[in-house]
Amino acid sequence: MGKLYVFDHPLIQHKLSYIRDKNTGTKEFRQLVNEVAALMAFEVTRDLPLKEVEIETPVEKATVKKLSGKKLGLVPILRAGLGMVDGIIDLIPAAKVGHVGLYRDPKTLMPVEYYVKLPSDVEERDFLVLDPMLATGGSAVEAINSLKKRGAKNIKLLCICGAPEGVKAVQDAHSDVDIYLAALDEKLNDHGYIVPGLGDAGDRLFGTK
Ligand code: PRP
Ligand code: URA
């Protein structure tokens, strides 16, 4: 089964308190989502391989460590996943960005795919799938299916708020995918919203309510 990591870092928890607050406006919400995504990515990339290289400092030659060139891909689930991209790409500018467009049918809560565009070298990349919300898990399961169908092998899922139902759905469908959350919330309500959650992530990011 894929592992579940829930970040208890004080900076993440502090920023999340503002993200959850209904009085936080769009501009601040967008900035905070990016900041939390960056802090999460810092930890998620801890196992990236390094190689030793020789450089010259202004003082003398030195052997230093650089990333060994592992190829990374970020895949935001549209729309709300877009809110996490900038924060992460600032840290990992060489990552390529693919997109999976899914929306949740409001009646059935089932994901409907409407767009997929991935880097051409899918098979060579490790992917971080991004979505602030892991509710029923339908969208994440479908996005990961979509990546695997196109050849992706190594996938991690990064979400800000997750419900136990969503975690279970991803673990059941994709036992090779580790899940990283800023918070594991209590449950889903009757409309499939995460409780206490943060509301509709897409609407709060893009001001569409
Ligand atoms: C939201 C959210 C996730 C999905 C989570 O997207 O951003 O993608 O719901 O729910 P699930 O785990 O039950 O699938 P939504 O369908 O509202 O689309 P949007 O991002 O375009 O607003
Ligand atoms: N999608 C959201 O944006 N929020 C939720 O709580 C659940 C799904």
Side-chain angles (χ1 to χ4, degrees):
M1 186 188 291
K3 292 197 192 84
L4 170 66
Y5 300 91
V6 183
F7 293 114
D8 57 1
H9 194 288
L11 284 177
I12 294 181
Q13 294 308 312
H14 179 75
K15 288 175 192 294
L16 184 56
S17 76
Y18 290 98
I19 289 175
R20 288 191 192 276
D21 191 329
K22 69 176 183 183
N23 294 316
T24 298
T26 297
K27 182 169 183 276
E28 202 186 348
F29 185 87
R30 202 179 284 149
Q31 182 175 338
L32 287 162
V33 167
N34 269 312
E35 287 175 3
V36 167
L39 289 166
M40 291 175 75
F42 189 74
E43 198 52 40
V44 168
T45 50
R46 157 175 298 287
D47 60 353
L48 283 180
L50 293 168
K51 63 181 176 194
E52 293 197 336
V53 293
E54 291 263 314
I55 56 138
E56 277 188 48
T57 76
V59 180
E60 64 168 17
K61 282 193 176 154
T63 305
V64 295
K65 290 176 181 166
K66 291 192 177 184
L67 291 173
S68 79
K70 197 173 220 0
K71 293 180 167 184
L72 289 180
L74 308 181
V75 180
I77 302 179
L78 305 180
R79 292 175 300 167
L82 289 173
M84 299 172 73
V85 173
D86 286 351
I88 301 179
I89 206 116
D90 279 350
L91 285 181
I92 318 170
K96 293 206 171 159
V97 183
H99 296 86
V100 175
L102 294 170
Y103 69 87
R104 216 167 59 142
D105 183 288
K107 287 212 181 73
T108 64
L109 300 183
M110 294 305 288
V112 182
E113 187 177 282
Y114 59 86
Y115 184 75
V116 181
K117 179 79 182 173
L118 299 178
S120 54
D121 51 358
V122 177
E123 288 171 18
E124 297 165 34
R125 287 189 184 267
D126 289 355
F127 286 97
L128 303 181
V129 172
L130 311 176
D131 194 326
M133 309 309 282
L134 178 63
T136 64
S139 304
V141 166
E142 202 46 45
I144 296 167
N145 279 340
S146 209
L147 259 75
K148 286 186 174 174
K149 212 161 59 189
R150 291 166 176 83
K153 291 184 187 69
N154 194 341
I155 300 170
K156 293 175 177 175
L157 175 65
L158 267 73
C159 303
I160 293 184
C161 283
E165 294 88 333
V167 169
K168 182 170 184 322
V170 173
Q171 287 178 332
D172 287 350
H174 298 292
S175 60
D176 56 321
V177 173
D178 290 343
I179 304 170
Y180 298 82
L181 300 178
L184 179 61
D185 280 11
E186 194 189 323
K187 60 178 182 184
L188 295 178
N189 69 15
D190 293 344
H191 305 288
Y193 272 76
I194 298 176
V195 178
L198 51 79
D200 188 305
D203 283 344
R204 294 195 65 193
L205 276 167
F206 299 109
T208 43
K209 197 76 184 174

